[in-house]
Amino acid sequence: MGKKVVILGGGVAGLSAAHELAERGFDVTVYELRRIAGGKARSIPVPGSGKQGRKDLPGEHGFRFFPRFYKHIIDTMERIPYGNNPKGVADNLVEGTRLGLARTDGPPVEFLTEFPTSLKDLRALLKSLFDNRLGVSEREFEHFLDRIWQVMTSCNERRTEEYQDIPWWDFIDAERQSEAFRRVFTGMTRILVAAKAREANTATVGSVGAQILADMVVPGGSASRILNGPTNEVWIDPWVEYLRQIGVDYHKNARVERIECNDGIITGAIVTKNGETFEVKGDYYIAAFPVEVMAEMVTPEMAATDPSLNNLKKLAESVDWMNGIQFYLKEDVTIIHGHIIYIDSPWALTSVSQRQFWPRFDFSEYGDGQVKGILSVDISDWEKPGILYGKSARHCSPEEIRDEVWAQLKAGLNVEGKVVLEDSNIHSWYLDEDIHYPNPDGLPVNLEPLLVNKVYTWDWRPHAYTAIPNLFLASDYVKTNTDLATMEGANEAARRAVNAILHASGSRAKRCKIWDMYQFEPFLFLYREHDEFRFRRGLPWNGKMIASLG
Ligand SMILES: Cc1cc2nc3c(=O)[nH]c(=O)nc-3n(C[C@H](O)[C@H](O)[C@H](O)COP(=O)(O)OP(=O)(O)OC[C@H]3O[C@@H](n4cnc5c(N)ncnc54)[C@H](O)[C@@H]3O)c2cc1C
């Protein structure tokens, strides 16, 4: 005990690792590049928007969605004190009861994200949804259901060894289905942090999609949760404060320049803070950078000791753009009680109208006091031409992005004569500061892209431990049960890194709990056992079981 751990990067993974280690008596220091803690999950106050002593308007990198299947991050949140909340900041999560599919040829299709009944209801629910209102035929609906059922009843080995290399598009045979089918079922993958149906692997999209659908029909709460205020106010800042209280030294505005590796071990990290460059040393190091940063940190000496670290460069090519824009409204527009996927929007938009979930948040204390609502929008496709200027988001100026996103939102919501969004209702707007416009003519760069789970990338993803005995990795790209670059995946990765440090240091402290991702057990246990039996004999999944379900 008392061993020193240096954590490089202070996003969800870095904070999670610091939390687990400090509670186990380690001496922990975190070095974070930015002025605000939390990495991609952080809130970003809109610079200069607070008037007459008010606070700046709450902006963000992208809105935060906590599906019900999250366990690791929720467990951590329950241990972050917040006022009199019995379950700490986890009590700041509220349920969204609806998911909306906005389309351009009819009103948004809404469906419940909580539905207290059995798997049979999944059939009924999907049927009513897809069969009647979105033009998906009975046969196609059955086909989709079969594919989801296949994922749910497949064994873990098949998921990892087979489905990691099958694009979701191929798995659902999208090419041979109708346009209506493709529109709905490939559009829906966008809620899974920018996954594109043609590139994303079936293990991830199929399993997470099946889990979300199952959570909608299994009693016990909504499949979707959202914070009841700006992320840093109701989660990240109380977290950093709690970590300080338990002894964590968290440095903001501290850039890690490089990691020093000599004779096969890490001997230090070079950090610049307040114009001063110095070396930091510890017994153990956790690199909690995003993959594209970590890939650049790998030195020839590190790669010589652990050649698998060379894979990070290949993995880093899987990052893509997903960034948010917020519209501050003069009058609140609720739309629906949850998230909306704009299935026809070329820029793959999703949104949430936040005020309804922020009951204790006094809007008059922010900006000029006139903002009454916030529509937070994620843009997940930066390549496809838009409907207004015919340009991709990457080729647009910030103002063009604003106009284009607003036009695509209106195309999905202002249908059949209904006016949900009015131009005159925009008070102001804010595009993620990570979209950086270096010069008037140049294309923007994205300072924080996101790893998207693609086919054939599982083998490149590293474990939380490395062959360098004092270097551990914690971020959303590490191999985890969660298998999706999310806050849940980042937290699980951190737990794995901490467990590896406990092992390496000979600590007898309790290991961090790691959960299985999928909650289909014990319900589907026999099916999956049977599939494991078949998989080990080189046999395909047995589709006949669908029929036996009746
Ligand atoms: C728009 C958007 C919306 C999303 N929505 C959701 C959602 O609804 N639900 C969900 O679960 N997930 C969501 N995600 C994914 C989720 O935000 C990330 O997977 C998760 O936050 C990653 O955490 P991390 O700690 O692994 O990495 P990061 O958040 O990237 O943290 C890494 C940290 O390292 C720091 N760093 C980088 N370089 C250096 C350096 N040289 N020196 C020091 N520090 C450095 C960074 O500043 C950062 O704080 C979303 C992502 C995006 C982009």
Side-chain angles (χ1 to χ4, degrees):
M1 285 304 160
K3 295 247 184 207
K4 179 159 185 181
V5 183
V6 173
I7 300 180
L8 310 171
V12 169
L15 288 162
S16 304
H19 192 149
E20 299 295 343
L21 286 163
E23 284 187 345
R24 288 165 175 80
F26 284 80
D27 174 5
V28 183
T29 311
V30 182
Y31 295 95
E32 162 56 39
L33 172 68
R34 292 172 193 280
R35 68 189 191 285
I36 301 171
K40 289 193 264 288
R42 73 189 182 284
S43 307
I44 309 170
V46 182
S49 60
K51 308 285 181 217
Q52 287 108 33
R54 293 187 186 85
K55 291 189 252 181
D56 285 341
L57 287 166
E60 57 194 347
H61 181 67
F63 60 72
R64 301 288 111 195
F65 164 53
F66 296 76
R68 185 176 0 149
F69 66 80
Y70 281 13
K71 288 172 210 72
H72 301 86
I73 191 73
I74 306 298
D75 173 75
T76 300
M77 290 169 85
E78 287 177 359
R79 292 185 279 125
I80 302 168
Y82 188 90
N84 295 324
N85 285 2
K87 289 194 171 172
V89 299
D91 282 337
N92 291 341
L93 289 170
V94 286
E95 295 190 337
T97 57
R98 301 278 188 285
L99 176 66
L101 295 189
R103 52 198 173 136
T104 51
D105 56 355
V109 177
E110 270 184 35
F111 55 102
L112 282 175
T113 49
E114 51 182 0
F115 206 68
T117 178
S118 65
L119 189 68
K120 264 190 181 170
D121 290 323
L122 174 61
R123 187 177 288 265
L125 179 74
L126 290 178
K127 204 162 204 152
S128 68
L129 181 68
F130 300 122
D131 209 20
N132 302 329
R133 289 188 274 174
L134 288 161
V136 178
S137 71
E138 174 91 19
R139 182 198 63 75
E140 287 179 319
F141 158 74
E142 291 290 345
H143 165 72
F144 181 75
L145 199 64
D146 283 359
R147 295 281 71 77
I148 286 286
W149 184 250
Q150 177 171 345
V151 175
M152 290 172 85
T153 53
S154 294
C155 63
N156 285 336
E157 289 84 346
R158 194 184 295 283
R159 282 201 199 131
T160 311
E161 291 171 35
E162 199 174 301
Y163 297 166
Q164 281 288 346
D165 296 341
I166 304 177
W168 179 242
W169 181 273
D170 293 353
F171 188 74
I172 59 174
D173 204 8
E175 208 63 55
R176 292 200 295 153
Q177 312 302 320
S178 70
E179 192 49 46
F181 178 96
R182 285 195 285 272
R183 181 190 184 207
V184 173
F185 293 115
T186 60
M188 276 172 73
T189 60
R190 292 160 175 182
I191 201 157
L192 304 177
V193 277
K196 293 191 178 103
R198 283 178 194 273
E199 300 168 4
N201 73 71
T202 295
T204 305
V205 178
S207 307
V208 176
Q211 186 65 60
I212 291 177
L213 286 173
D215 283 345
M216 286 179 176
V217 297
V218 174
S222 171
S224 138
R225 286 167 296 183
I226 297 155
L227 285 165
N228 65 3
T231 308
N232 272 54
E233 288 193 30
V234 300
W235 173 26
I236 305 286
D237 292 345
W239 197 3
V240 174
E241 179 49 35
Y242 173 65
L243 294 182
R244 287 216 166 100
Q245 284 168 16
I246 61 173
V248 174
D249 197 6
Y250 188 101
H251 295 262
K252 293 179 194 165
N253 297 310
R255 172 187 293 277
V256 178
E257 308 286 354
R258 60 181 187 277
I259 300 172
E260 303 279 5
C261 181
N262 293 295
D263 298 328
I265 61 160
I266 305 301
T267 52
I270 307 301
V271 175
T272 301
K273 189 180 171 186
N274 300 333
E276 223 185 289
T277 300
F278 48 92
E279 185 168 17
V280 296
K281 287 181 172 291
D283 298 298
Y284 303 100
Y285 298 80
I286 295 184
F289 306 119
V291 64
E292 71 284 358
V293 175
M294 187 57 203
E296 294 301 318
M297 293 277 175
V298 176
T299 62
E301 169 98 38
M302 287 161 76
T305 314
D306 187 341
S308 74
L309 292 173
N310 284 320
N311 290 333
L312 294 182
K313 283 220 163 63
K314 290 186 270 179
L315 191 60
E317 285 169 18
S318 290
V319 298
D320 213 333
W321 289 33
M322 182 187 187
N323 299 72
I325 181 169
Q326 286 85 52
F327 291 95
Y328 301 97
L329 305 176
K330 294 177 196 161
E331 293 301 329
D332 190 29
V333 182
T334 308
I335 314 179
I336 68 159
H337 195 255
H339 294 94
I340 301 185
I341 305 174
Y342 297 78
I343 54 172
D344 295 326
S345 65
W347 287 9
L349 305 181
T350 46
S351 76
V352 65
S353 180
Q354 289 174 318
R355 185 171 191 153
Q356 59 191 317
F357 300 107
W358 296 4
R360 284 179 289 141
F361 182 82
D362 185 353
F363 276 65
S364 69
E365 290 177 2
Y366 292 78
D368 62 3
Q370 300 304 313
V371 169
K372 303 277 182 339
I374 304 174
L375 190 57
S376 187
V377 185
D378 283 355
I379 307 168
S380 294
D381 193 324
W382 288 73
E383 303 297 342
K384 281 211 190 81
I387 58 173
L388 206 57
Y389 301 112
K391 293 199 275 185
S392 76
R394 274 195 210 219
H395 288 85
C396 286
S397 68
E399 290 74 21
E400 287 172 333
I401 291 178
R402 171 201 60 198
D403 294 347
E404 180 68 50
V405 170
W406 190 250
Q408 292 185 31
L409 295 176
K410 285 200 296 185
L413 298 175
N414 293 359
V415 285
E416 294 184 348
K418 208 169 161 198
V419 180
V420 179
L421 299 182
E422 286 181 275
D423 298 350
S424 58
N425 195 20
I426 300 180
H427 171 280
S428 50
W429 57 286
Y430 181 64
L431 177 66
D432 184 357
E433 64 181 4
D434 278 336
I435 305 299
H436 207 72
Y437 290 82
N439 62 63
D441 304 319
L443 287 182
V445 289
N446 185 353
L447 299 182
E448 287 182 289
L450 176 70
L451 183 75
V452 178
N453 289 43
K454 295 186 181 165
V455 279
Y456 303 120
T457 54
W458 177 258
D459 291 341
W460 298 339
R461 289 170 59 185
H463 289 288
Y465 52 86
T466 70
I468 301 170
N470 61 346
L471 176 67
F472 302 85
L473 306 176
S475 185
D476 56 9
Y477 64 88
V478 166
K479 272 191 176 127
T480 56
N481 293 343
T482 307
D483 186 24
L484 185 65
T486 53
M487 301 179 291
E488 173 75 351
N491 183 278
E492 185 189 336
R495 287 166 183 256
R496 288 176 182 271
V498 169
N499 284 349
I501 289 180
L502 295 178
H503 179 77
S505 64
S507 167
R508 288 160 67 180
K510 197 171 169 206
R511 277 16 184 192
C512 307
K513 185 160 180 182
I514 308 275
W515 280 264
D516 274 337
M517 163 85 175
Y518 303 104
Q519 293 306 294
F520 308 136
E521 316 278 4
F523 189 45
L524 302 177
F525 177 72
L526 286 178
Y527 291 101
R528 294 174 62 184
E529 285 276 289
H530 178 74
D531 188 51
E532 192 176 316
F533 177 86
R534 293 180 62 84
F535 183 75
R536 292 204 171 141
R537 282 157 188 77
L539 298 169
W541 174 84
N542 180 2
K544 284 187 189 134
M545 271 191 231
I546 300 274
S548 69
L549 238 196

